[in-house]
Amino acid sequence: MGFLTKIFGTHSEREIKLIIPIVDKIEALAPDMEKLSDSELRNKTVEFRNRLKNGETLDDLLVEAYAVVREAAKRVLGIKHYRVQLMGGVILHQGRISEMRTGEGKTLVSTLPAYLNALEGNGVHIVTVNDYLAKRDSEWMGQVHEFLGLKVGVILNSMNNDERREAYNCDITYATNNELGFDYLRDNMVIYKEQLVQRGLHFAVIDEVDSVLIDEARTPLIISGQSGKSTRLYEACDILARQLVRGKESGELTKMAAIMKEEIEEEGDFIVNEKDKNVNLTAQGVEKVEDFFKIENLADPEHLEIQHNIILALRAHNLMFRDKDYVVNNDEVLIVDEFTGRIMPGRRYSDGLHQAIEAKEKVKVKRESKTLATITFQNFFNKYSKKCGMTGTALTEEKEFRDIYGMDVIEIPTNVPVARMDKQDAVYKTRKEKLNAVVNEIIESHKKGQPVLVGTITIEASEEISDLLKKKNVPHKVLNAKFHEMEAEIIADAGVYGAVTIATNMAGRGTDIKLGEGVREVGGLKIIGTERHESRRIDNQLRGRAGRQGDPGESRFYISLEDDLMRLFGSDRLMSMFNSLGLPEGEQIEHKMLSNAIEKAQMRIENNNYGIRKNLLEYDQVNNDQREIIYAERRRVLDGENMRDSIFKMITDIVETSVNTCISDDQQPEEWDLNELNNLLLPIIPYDRIVLTENELDRGKKNALIQRLKEEAVKLYEAKEAEFPEKEHLREVERVILLKVIDRKWMDHIDDMDQLRQGIGLQAYGQKDPLVEFKFMGFEMFDEMTKAISEDTIKALMHVRIEQNVEREQVAKVTGTNKDDSVQQGPVKRAAKKIQPNDPCPCGSGLKYKHCCGKN
């Protein structure tokens, strides 16, 4: 393979060679573009749109359009796209990922494909990782698009629906991945077409694509409402969890060990598996739980909730840590994003874990939530007709991008060669020795004025280093989730002469660190990593903060054998070898074996995390197929389609299913259970009591009965139609009832699917594949739900009275915009206002007021 690469070059090199002629053509147009006046340059947009209407494609326009954007950026921002940026722009238009090093101007690159694809008029979404970047980029890069006559919008968390709708109707819209996903879910909960805010998912340019599509893909987006469950059990389990003793086990409890009935010796009340992040009670622990709750057998199905909650309480105490996984602020538990170190306001851990942490921290325990709508980022972004992305680090995850999103990664060469020195890891035996070495290194660099950026994994670690530096009187700034408001400002100043900045992980991602005066002479920005991250990508992101655009700089990671990465994933043989060396305190270990071990440990975790994300996607695929069917049906109702044919099909299906349930093919007419049939059908369709005709008794044909009952049911519905003076009145009633029933049943169904997903893992102990079982059960549950939708809809329609004022109602009202308990149960009606002639008629006919009740 290496031999072939030498001859033909890497995949990226081959692709870049194909793009060079296109870039040459774009650059060749520069003199022509410079001659155009501002208005002539702006008119190019109109010209391009006309050419598209006349049959040309975006690919035909690419060279000229990119040349126009390049000239516009030069005039408006005073920045001209480099050759490598033009390459990145071409790759993006092709629906791929362009990997560009930090400081290569990815934000400017996005203007190229955004402008070109916006010419079609279907909207382009530029996706950023936070509101600050969305607002900054829309105001900064948006100037280029507005100069060329395009409308630019931005979606911020604080916006209302009208502002969102206006922003989505622009040619180019800047927004975060969360806002886009939640707006999609909320759009599929509205009850009038006018309430929709999005207008389709056409083309997405994703900035920091690895953060959005990989790091955040383990957590699905959820809109939830409060369930009626009490929170007392969480508090009781927390009290018990504090009394239980953590133990150890000899041997490993695996699925295979359980199937083979291998004996595992346990001590203590519970065992914590830090690698897999789970907790199990021992036999002794089970007894203590039974004594505490005064129950005989914890394994009984009726005690499932107690089992679940005590495990949650133990996880909260032993696997979830304050100032690492979450912070407590104003009596509220707030999650910290493990990849960026940012607080994620409004997000809550699902399945009761958040409540268990609230009980542990003695803050008010909020009620558990009920899932009303959910989608994973994988399935959401795959709904776009075309998507592309940019990042500084994607190559290590290329397989995942290709398998899940169908996007390949192309490495774009740097504009100026990278001059940063990436030094070998410095490894120490203990954490204390490592921290002392880090502080000494910071002091040495600070003395000569070299700015230092220290990257930590947790808030706790950043504060620990800060305390050590305070003792040594080293002035510094700390940037972690507690101070994220000042993020951009602190990060931007990190390259100033003599600056020392401590930051959690990738804080300030998207903000350039420019070197201050005199910094080049002292070696540029120095990056110190205090621990290796689980993902090599995050380490590379930290290194990439230094050495932008050919600047000098250096980076080094400091590691101890006590770090989580080495403790949990390093090989035992290697650890015992270094422990037996008897090294003096404070001595640095440098060994090739050690560097390889770190790399292997990271690869192992990356594969593990990829497995988690792939698993999540496989399970969500079942939900996704069902979601597509339900949302498509809802959309038909919102679009005001005539549902009469669907209603008649529901009626005939209900009749056929009911008769087949009560009467089998091999039964004689005298054996037919008409009582059961009456009990099934009469509550739904108001027949007179069903009795058999002479003909049916003589011939004994079940099909003849089915046909007669279908005809009678259709006549009953036609009679109901005749009660309405305007046929369109009943059509709107059909839409109102169908919408209400679909929403109520779908919300119950996804909550049931959620419950099914939690317990499906136990199928493995019966030697069944949990995923296959989930698909079968999920399909059966969906089938039951669609049957229930038909029955409830027909039952309501057959019994509707003309004097009833039927209005569309929301089954669940969304009140928030975050991942939280943001939905309240209960109907919401439209606010009363003066009716205008062109408004929909309040009688629910679906006609305009002037053509209906307002005719007089």
Side-chain angles (χ1 to χ4, degrees), residues 153-164 167 179 817:
V154 61
I155 304 284
L156 300 173
N157 188 268
S158 54
M159 286 183 168
N160 63 34
N161 279 0
D162 292 335
E163 291 169 319
R164 284 168 187 269
E179 293 303 322
T817 54

Side-chain angles (χ1 to χ4, degrees), residues 158-186:
S158 54
M159 286 183 168
N160 63 34
N161 279 0
D162 292 335
E163 291 169 319
R164 284 168 187 269
R165 194 174 300 109
E166 193 182 332
Y168 280 120
N169 282 331
C170 291
D171 296 302
I172 294 167
T173 309
Y174 287 81
T176 66
N177 46 325
N178 282 336
E179 293 303 322
L180 289 166
F182 282 125
D183 282 338
Y184 169 77
L185 289 177
R186 279 190 294 261

Side-chain angles (χ1 to χ4, degrees), residues 366-379:
K366 291 185 182 172
R367 288 206 167 176
E368 206 173 316
S369 54
K370 175 183 177 180
T371 304
L372 301 175
T374 177
I375 194 167
T376 58
F377 278 128
Q378 289 106 318
N379 273 318

Side-chain angles (χ1 to χ4, degrees), residues 547-825:
R548 56 181 291 285
Q549 287 295 332
D551 286 345
E554 59 178 283
S555 73
R556 183 171 222 168
F557 280 88
Y558 287 74
I559 294 164
S560 84
L561 298 183
E562 293 176 348
D563 289 350
D564 284 351
L565 185 79
M566 298 307 289
R567 191 169 55 82
L568 298 175
F569 296 93
S571 75
D572 296 337
R573 192 170 58 84
L574 190 75
M575 293 307 189
S576 54
M577 186 181 94
F578 282 109
N579 285 330
S580 63
L581 287 176
L583 295 163
E585 191 172 323
E587 185 158 322
Q588 185 182 324
I589 313 164
E590 270 197 34
H591 199 290
K592 201 165 188 294
M593 268 178 75
L594 207 53
S595 298
N596 291 344
I598 293 162
E599 189 100 345
K600 275 183 186 159
Q602 286 179 310
M603 285 170 78
R604 221 184 299 171
I605 299 172
E606 281 167 15
N607 288 334
N608 190 30
N609 287 342
Y610 172 49
I612 291 169
R613 290 188 292 268
K614 201 161 187 287
N615 194 39
L616 174 73
L617 181 65
E618 283 170 341
Y619 279 97
D620 191 59
Q621 202 52 51
V622 180
N623 291 339
N624 195 51
D625 296 341
Q626 299 176 359
R627 190 189 298 118
E628 294 283 307
I629 295 166
I630 291 294
Y631 286 179
E633 197 63 21
R634 268 193 114 258
R635 196 57 192 255
R636 284 183 62 205
V637 177
L638 285 185
D639 288 341
E641 279 190 34
N642 188 328
M643 305 307 290
R644 189 175 189 264
D645 291 346
S646 299
I647 298 298
F648 277 112
K649 188 175 185 317
M650 284 181 187
I651 292 171
T652 55
D653 284 354
I654 287 167
V655 170
E656 194 162 336
T657 307
S658 302
V659 173
N660 286 330
T661 303
C662 302
I663 300 168
S664 63
D665 291 334
D666 55 358
Q667 283 181 319
Q668 293 303 310
E670 52 272 16
E671 296 175 280
W672 292 357
D673 191 343
L674 293 184
N675 279 336
E676 192 188 349
L677 185 59
N678 278 302
N679 291 339
L680 261 182
L681 267 180
L682 265 54
I684 304 166
I685 301 168
Y687 293 107
D688 294 328
R689 194 163 177 77
I690 298 167
V691 289
L692 297 181
T693 63
E694 291 293 324
N695 187 28
E696 285 157 358
L697 277 167
D698 290 344
R699 294 170 68 187
K701 291 273 176 68
K702 184 172 77 168
N703 288 349
L705 175 65
I706 290 172
Q707 191 54 38
R708 174 171 69 89
L709 291 179
K710 279 182 182 177
E711 286 167 9
E712 284 179 16
V714 166
K715 279 178 188 162
L716 283 168
Y717 194 65
E718 284 170 346
K720 181 62 67 182
E721 264 182 328
E723 292 174 19
F724 286 78
E726 298 264 353
K727 288 276 187 288
E728 187 48 46
H729 285 188
L730 182 60
R731 298 291 82 87
E732 175 62 8
V733 170
E734 287 168 354
R735 288 190 283 267
V736 168
I737 288 171
L738 196 52
L739 203 56
K740 207 185 215 172
V741 174
I742 286 174
D743 283 353
R744 192 173 63 243
K745 295 290 179 192
W746 173 243
M747 285 169 190
D748 287 342
H749 175 73
I750 48 180
D751 201 49
D752 292 345
M753 290 290 281
D754 214 28
Q755 301 294 329
L756 175 67
R757 170 83 177 84
Q758 303 301 338
I760 202 75
L762 296 170
Q763 296 285 339
Y765 292 110
Q767 294 184 328
K768 292 177 180 174
D769 183 336
L771 180 62
V772 172
E773 293 302 306
F774 182 73
K775 284 178 180 172
F776 278 132
M777 291 180 186
F779 180 76
E780 282 174 12
M781 284 162 66
F782 186 72
D783 223 28
E784 286 295 313
M785 180 200 68
T786 49
K787 220 170 95 182
I789 287 173
S790 297
E791 288 177 4
D792 284 16
T793 303
I794 300 308
K795 187 177 182 178
L797 283 171
M798 286 290 195
H799 296 86
V800 76
R801 295 191 310 278
I802 195 157
E803 65 268 19
Q804 278 179 279
N805 182 19
V806 181
E807 277 192 52
R808 296 192 192 184
E809 289 180 1
Q810 247 182 337
V811 174
K813 183 191 172 196
V814 183
T815 56
T817 54
N818 287 318
K819 246 188 200 177
D820 64 346
D821 299 347
S822 60
V823 179
Q824 296 169 353
Q825 300 279 50

